[in-house]
Amino acid sequence: MTFTYPDIERPFDCAKDYINTLAVENGPFLHRLMEDIGGQLSGLDGRALVSKNGKIQNFAKSVVLLDSFVLFDINQKPLLNRVAAALEKTAMLAEFYERSAEVLSLLESYLFDLSFGYPCDIVFPKLSIPALIKAAGVQIETDQSSLCAKVLDYMELIEEFDGQKLFVTLNLRAFVSETEIENFMHTALGRGCYLLMIENRDYRRLSIEKRLVIDEDLCEID
């Protein structure tokens, strides 16, 4: 995938043998860029574009923004929704359909037994496999302790349940060591992830990254 923004000359081709990084030292410019990305992910119009094989992609469906690392939780709503949807589809497969119907029948019988004796007819119109899965409170367990490992797990699961994405990180390097970030980059590249890492300062360059710096005067420096 390729990420472009009208106010940045260089397009970011995120399918090469390196990690694209963007260091923006001008605060207002960084805010405009991230506001554009975040706004499009919320359904608003924007100027940033993502393309694949020369074709413009739906931005909101193609991009995942990772910008909250203080208390990073792999159990984020977008991922859990996708996991629940996958479970619902699996429940309707031939190998599970009979068991799914049996579970619903047993639960319906149990609920009607609970309601017996009340001076009214009680029905349960929303009883369904999707409602049952939702009520179960789907969660993902992980034994990862490091921030980068958790982020990588999240990225891998997003792509497992919702297809390949362009992951955009914001200021991840502010929270981890240089060794961790280098391992993170190597792992992401090895998994074939599309990744654009945006930072608000110019860290020491690593051999695996191709960086563009936008300085305080909005000059672009390779």
Side-chain angles (χ1 to χ4, degrees):
M1 291 186 190
T2 301
F3 177 89
T4 58
Y5 185 64
D7 297 332
I8 301 176
E9 287 187 17
R10 185 214 287 178
F12 296 92
D13 186 347
C14 301
K16 298 287 186 179
D17 297 325
Y18 51 77
I19 298 295
N20 280 276
T21 61
L22 171 64
V24 183
E25 297 177 334
N26 183 292
F29 184 92
L30 178 60
H31 180 260
R32 288 197 302 274
L33 173 62
M34 301 313 301
E35 187 176 48
D36 186 295
I37 294 172
Q40 290 199 59
L41 295 178
S42 298
L44 302 177
D45 292 332
R47 303 166 69 215
L49 295 174
V50 172
S51 60
K52 187 174 182 180
N53 300 323
K55 296 182 179 179
I56 301 299
Q57 305 295 298
N58 182 300
F59 195 94
K61 293 181 179 180
S62 303
V63 176
V64 174
L65 175 61
L66 301 171
D67 61 351
S68 181
F69 299 113
V70 176
L71 294 173
F72 186 81
D73 184 7
I74 197 171
N75 284 292
Q76 297 184 34
K77 188 174 180 180
L79 175 57
L80 297 182
N81 286 343
R82 289 165 175 79
V83 173
L87 290 173
E88 291 170 20
K89 289 182 179 180
T90 301
M92 293 297 104
L93 295 178
E95 59 191 295
F96 287 104
Y97 187 83
E98 187 175 336
R99 289 173 61 188
S100 298
E102 183 181 356
V103 167
L104 284 180
S105 178
L106 289 172
L107 184 55
E108 185 177 41
S109 177
Y110 171 72
L111 291 172
F112 277 123
D113 286 345
L114 288 180
S115 65
F116 182 76
Y118 288 92
C120 59
D121 292 329
I122 300 176
V123 296
F124 308 95
K126 294 185 178 181
L127 184 60
S128 64
I129 288 297
L132 187 58
I133 291 173
K134 182 178 179 180
V138 175
Q139 293 281 293
I140 296 169
E141 288 189 353
T142 177
D143 56 2
Q144 302 289 3
S145 58
S146 76
L147 173 58
C148 282
K150 291 178 182 177
V151 173
L152 285 166
D153 276 0
Y154 182 81
M155 292 165 58
E156 185 176 30
L157 289 170
I158 281 288
E159 295 199 322
E160 172 68 26
F161 289 101
D162 201 36
Q164 199 154 40
K165 306 291 182 182
L166 169 61
F167 294 97
V168 179
T169 65
L170 176 63
N171 290 334
L172 175 58
R173 292 185 73 161
F175 298 96
V176 298
S177 69
E178 192 170 287
T179 299
E180 287 178 289
I181 207 65
E182 189 166 15
N183 290 336
F184 171 81
M185 289 182 180
H186 277 289
T187 303
L189 202 60
R191 292 179 180 177
C193 295
Y194 295 116
L195 178 63
L196 172 61
M197 300 183 66
I198 301 175
E199 307 290 339
N200 68 349
R201 52 167 285 205
D202 190 12
Y203 290 89
R204 187 178 78 83
R205 297 192 187 206
L206 304 175
S207 61
I208 198 173
E209 65 179 299
K210 181 178 182 181
R211 182 179 303 173
L212 177 69
V213 177
I214 298 179
D215 67 13
E216 285 284 359
D217 298 320
L218 299 180
C219 295
E220 296 186 18
I221 306 167
D222 287 317

